[in-house]
Amino acid sequence: MERHEARACLGEFLGTGLLLAAIVGSGVMAQRLSPADDGLQLLENALATAFALGALIVAFGPISGAHFNPAVTLADAVLGGTPWGAVPGRIVAQVAGGALGVAVTHLQFGLPAVTLGTRERSEPALWLSEVVATLGLLLVIFLTVRRGDRQQIPWAVAGYVFGAIFFTSSTCFANPAVTLARALTDSYTSIAPASVAPFLAAQLAAVVVGVPVIRALAPRED
């Protein structure tokens, strides 16, 4: 692996890990700070996730593209961005980084490193929600990039994710690496392992739908 690609994989590993730290850690903190208010817990979790994601995109964007998401990496490869030879390594880095991020977050809150999720998310409405959430994320990213507004990506993605946590019934996982990692926690943001596969299928279906839509709406790349 050449030095540039090794640096990109390291960026995806660390960035995804920190993203999961924000998602899971803010969920744990929200439950502790606002144990009797579900709406406030969701708001706290959404704000922390969105702000952290925006900051991570600013920091890691020049290094790896700041995908932190196998769905984004796959879509970018199909659209001619990420070389196909780099895709496996980056996805492995994202998944591994997410898992480590959950473990470290558990330890900093005095919890066991891994506790499998018990929250069942197995309704068809939630699967549809994941298609919508992931498709919207892909459109925000690639339509913004293709019109040459790369500097707008951090706030655009952060704003979309914050909104989608509220307007989707699944609370916007929209990321296979995040979905797998959230099966390793039994905290506020958890998902039961048995519920993971349909979520992954829905997210990948959004890639299949999203790529031709992106090409139709923005046929020329920047």
Side-chain angles (χ1 to χ4, degrees), residues 93-136:
Q94 292 158 357
V95 172
L100 181 62
V102 170
V104 172
T105 300
H106 280 180
L107 293 175
Q108 71 169 344
F109 281 100
L111 303 172
V114 175
T115 54
L116 294 182
T118 57
R119 181 173 295 187
E120 295 290 338
R121 300 177 187 262
S122 56
E123 301 173 16
L126 298 179
W127 306 337
L128 175 60
S129 175
E130 277 303 291
V131 175
V132 172
T134 310
L135 176 61

Side-chain angles (χ1 to χ4, degrees), residues 8 15-16 20 24 40 66 80 82 105 118 120 122 130 138 143 174 176 183 209:
T16 310
L20 265 298
V24 175
L40 185 55
T82 302
T105 300
T118 57
E120 295 290 338
S122 56
E130 277 303 291
L138 295 175
L143 294 182
V209 173

Side-chain angles (χ1 to χ4, degrees), residues 5 10 29 69 81 113 118 128 133 138 152 160 173 177 185 215:
E5 187 54 34
L10 179 59
M29 185 65 80
N69 185 336
T118 57
L128 175 60
L138 295 175
Q152 307 299 327
Y160 174 79
F173 283 50
T185 181
R215 282 175 168 160

Side-chain angles (χ1 to χ4, degrees), residues 38-83:
D38 291 341
L40 185 55
Q41 289 175 13
L42 184 61
L43 177 61
E44 291 163 349
N45 180 238
L47 284 170
T49 298
F51 275 109
L53 178 56
L56 290 170
I57 293 171
V58 171
F60 288 94
I63 298 169
S64 68
H67 294 177
F68 314 141
N69 185 336
V72 175
T73 300
L74 287 171
D76 193 47
V78 175
L79 292 167
T82 302

